[in-house]
Amino acid sequence: MSFTRRKKTLALTAGAAIFALTLAGCASGDEPEEGTTTENTAEAGEETNSEPVSLTIATFNTPGLSDSETDADYQYDLIEEYMELNDHVTITYNRAAESGDARENFFTKLGPGGLADIELVEVDWMPEVMQYSDLLTDLSSPDVEGRWVDYVEAGATDADGRLIGYGTDTGPQGVCYRADLFEEAGLPSDPEEVADLLDGDWDNFFAVGDDYVEATGSAFYDSAAGVWQGMVNQLDVAYEDPDSGEVIVLDNPEVKALYDQVTAASETQSSHFGQWGEDWTAGISNGAFATMLCPPWMLGVIEGNAPDTTDWNIADVYPNGGGNWGGSWLTVPASGENIEEATKLAAWLTAPEQQAKAFQNAGTYPSQVAAYEDPAVTGATNAYFNDAPIGEIFAARAQAVVPSPYKGEFYFQVNDAINNALTRVEEGTDDPAASWEKAVADIEAIG
C-alpha cells in the first residue's frame, strides 16, 4: 500500500531530541513547503537532499511501524512521521503476513533483483542471508556504533566486518492467556497467580494443560509448532555444530526428546491449528485455546486479530526459565536505486527513540541499549492486555533469557522440516513416529 501525507499531531517520547528543531519550526501545524530542505534526518542538523525520492520497505508480522498493520490503531505511525519530517520522501510500505512468506520473496529476488529498498530479515533466516552479505549494503557508520546490544550487532556482522543490518527488536518471552477461560476451568486468572501456577519446567506447563483440558474439554495452547519453537530455542546446540556448521540434529537426543514431549501433549492440549493459518488467527478471538507463548511482537499479532476480545492478559513467567523468539534487522539490498536515502530511513527507524515508539505501538521489545532506560519503555503498559505492565514484564523476561541455540546456514530448513512433521501430527495424517521418519528424510536431503 502507498501512503499519502495527512495532517496529524505527533507526540514525542522522552529523549526524542532529534525532532526538536523541526517540530518547533512547525509548531503552528504548517508543514514545510514542498521541496524545501528540513533538518530531520538521523543526525540532527544534517541537511537532506531535496530531490524527490520514492522508497519501498518490506516487513512481516507486526513490527509496529504503521497503522496499516492489520488495521491497527497505533499511537505512532512511523512511516507517515518520517514522510512528514522529510517532505521529499514518499514511502510505499509492504507487509507480508508472516516470516516464511517474506523469506521466500527475499531469496527469490536477492540475486535477480526486485527487492524493496529496505527488507526486514528475521533471526531464524539471518544466517542464510549472511552467506550472501556481499549483495547487501554495508551499513557500518560511526553514528550507529554501540547502538545495539552486542549479540544483535554481531548477528548482522559478516566475516569481513561489514554490518549488513540495523537491529529492530528482540523476543524475550512470557505467556499470554485468556483470563476468562482460566476462570471457567477453575484456574487462577490474576497475572501474578498465573505466573506462580506456570512457574517450573515444561512438565509443569503440560500438567497444568492436562488440568485445563480435563475441566473444559478444550485446547490449552494454540499450536504444537508454537510450543516447539519455545522449547527448542532453549537449547544451546540444537541443529548444527557451531564449529563445523555440520547438521547434527539427527544425532542430538535432546531434540528428539522435545519432539516426543510436545507431540504427546499436543494430542489433547493443542488446538491442532497451523500457526498463522486462518483457523489459528480466528482462534485468537473465539476462545479456541487458552494460552500462547508470547514474545513481545506477538502482542500486536493477538490484538490485531482479536481487537474486540477483552480477556487476554500476560504473565511474567516462562516454562523452564526463559527464552527468546524473535529479533530482526533492516537490510538495504545493494542493487537498490536509493541506497543513501534507504540507509537514512533504516537508521531512523532503528534509532532508540523510534524503537521506543514501536514498542508502545505493538510491544516489539527494543534491541537498542539507550531504549532500555527510556521511560516510554520501562513504564509501558498495554491497555489491550488489561493494562499489563509490559515494560516491567519484558525487562524481567529479558533477564531470564537462556542462551539461544546456534543458528547456522541450515537452521531454517531443519526447523521447517520439523515444523512440517508437527503439522502432519496435528492434522492427523501421520502418527508422531511416522512423521518423524519423514522429517529425517527431509533433513538428510538438506545441503
Side-chain angles (χ1 to χ4, degrees):
M1 65 210 70
S2 181
F3 286 90
T4 56
R5 292 186 186 82
R6 67 171 184 265
K7 292 279 190 176
K8 66 189 297 185
T9 301
L10 301 176
L12 289 178
T13 59
I18 63 171
F19 304 136
L21 293 176
T22 301
L23 293 178
C26 300
S28 65
D30 295 331
E31 289 186 314
E33 294 181 5
E34 195 73 28
T36 61
T37 299
T38 57
E39 299 177 349
N40 44 43
T41 57
E43 292 297 314
E46 179 184 347
E47 292 189 351
T48 65
N49 184 351
S50 60
E51 290 295 320
V53 62
S54 295
L55 297 175
T56 54
I57 179 170
T59 71
F60 48 84
N61 292 343
T62 52
L65 303 184
S66 168
D67 288 340
S68 67
E69 294 170 11
T70 60
D71 296 320
D73 185 18
Y74 289 153
Q75 183 175 354
Y76 304 102
D77 192 316
L78 297 179
I79 300 297
E80 290 217 11
E81 186 173 332
Y82 190 84
M83 289 193 292
E84 290 176 6
L85 292 169
N86 298 271
D87 62 359
H88 66 295
V89 177
T90 300
I91 300 170
T92 299
Y93 180 38
N94 299 311
R95 187 187 66 87
E98 52 96 14
S99 171
D101 295 335
R103 174 182 172 273
E104 182 178 358
N105 178 75
F106 184 91
F107 284 108
T108 299
K109 297 178 180 177
L110 180 59
L115 289 174
D117 293 295
I118 296 174
E119 291 274 344
L120 187 67
V121 168
E122 199 256 347
V123 63
D124 284 351
W125 39 286
M126 185 56 144
E128 290 179 90
V129 174
M130 296 300 286
Q131 307 301 311
Y132 310 97
S133 62
D134 59 317
L135 299 178
L136 298 165
T137 301
D138 182 3
L139 304 176
S140 302
S141 167
D143 296 333
V144 299
E145 286 183 5
R147 173 179 282 186
W148 297 277
V149 293
D150 290 344
Y151 69 88
V152 170
E153 186 166 342
T157 302
D158 69 10
D160 296 323
R162 301 169 68 255
L163 181 68
I164 56 92
Y166 286 163
T168 57
D169 61 314
T170 59
Q173 291 189 270
V175 176
C176 291
Y177 68 97
R178 282 281 298 263
D180 57 332
L181 300 183
F182 268 48
E183 290 174 359
E184 291 175 12
L187 298 175
S189 60
D190 176 80
E192 292 186 4
E193 294 177 336
V194 172
D196 289 338
L197 177 70
L198 297 178
D199 187 30
D201 57 16
W202 288 104
D203 286 336
N204 178 65
F205 180 79
F206 294 131
V208 174
D210 284 336
D211 292 341
Y212 179 85
V213 172
E214 183 177 355
T216 66
S218 299
F220 180 57
Y221 57 80
D222 61 325
S223 76
V227 172
W228 168 259
Q229 199 66 56
M231 299 172 82
V232 77
N233 276 348
Q234 291 180 327
L235 298 181
D236 289 315
V237 176
Y239 300 154
E240 297 151 291
D241 185 289
D243 296 322
S244 67
E246 179 185 1
V247 176
I248 60 168
V249 57
L250 299 180
D251 298 317
N252 188 345
E254 290 184 290
V255 172
K256 182 58 163 58
L258 293 182
Y259 173 87
D260 291 340
Q261 187 177 21
V262 74
T263 52
S266 72
E267 183 176 353
T268 57
Q269 295 186 29
S270 171
S271 72
H272 303 295
F273 297 150
Q275 204 167 36
W276 313 113
E278 291 183 3
D279 289 341
W280 180 83
T281 55
I284 295 173
S285 63
N286 66 22
F289 44 82
T291 65
M292 296 173 65
L293 302 183
C294 264
W297 51 265
M298 190 67 82
L299 304 185
V301 174
I302 293 173
E303 182 176 0
N305 285 290
D308 299 322
T309 302
T310 61
D311 292 294
W312 278 106
N313 212 321
I314 180 168
D316 182 5
V317 68
Y318 194 71
N320 212 34
N324 186 85
W325 182 19
S328 300
W329 293 264
L330 294 180
T331 66
V332 177
S335 59
E337 297 180 358
N338 301 295
I339 290 175
E340 182 178 355
E341 290 286 352
T343 301
K344 290 177 182 178
L345 173 57
W348 187 86
L349 287 172
T350 57
E353 296 83 3
Q354 276 62 260
Q355 284 309 295
K357 293 179 180 181
F359 180 59
Q360 291 174 284
N361 280 347
T364 50
Y365 197 67
S367 61
Q368 297 77 8
V369 176
Y372 297 147
E373 298 180 359
D374 190 326
V377 175
T378 60
T381 60
N382 189 301
Y384 177 85
F385 285 84
N386 289 280
D387 296 319
I390 59 172
E392 296 177 6
I393 290 173
F394 286 119
R397 293 294 88 219
Q399 294 278 340
V401 167
V402 297
S404 296
Y406 168 75
K407 297 181 180 181
E409 179 181 358
F410 302 109
Y411 178 89
F412 193 94
Q413 293 99 310
V414 174
N415 203 52
D416 199 40
I418 297 176
N419 275 320
N420 288 339
L422 293 170
T423 298
R424 291 190 291 268
V425 174
E426 295 262 83
E427 292 177 346
T429 57
D430 278 325
D431 63 37
S435 194
W436 177 257
E437 289 304 312
K438 291 180 181 178
V440 169
D442 292 339
I443 292 168
E444 289 177 338
I446 292 173

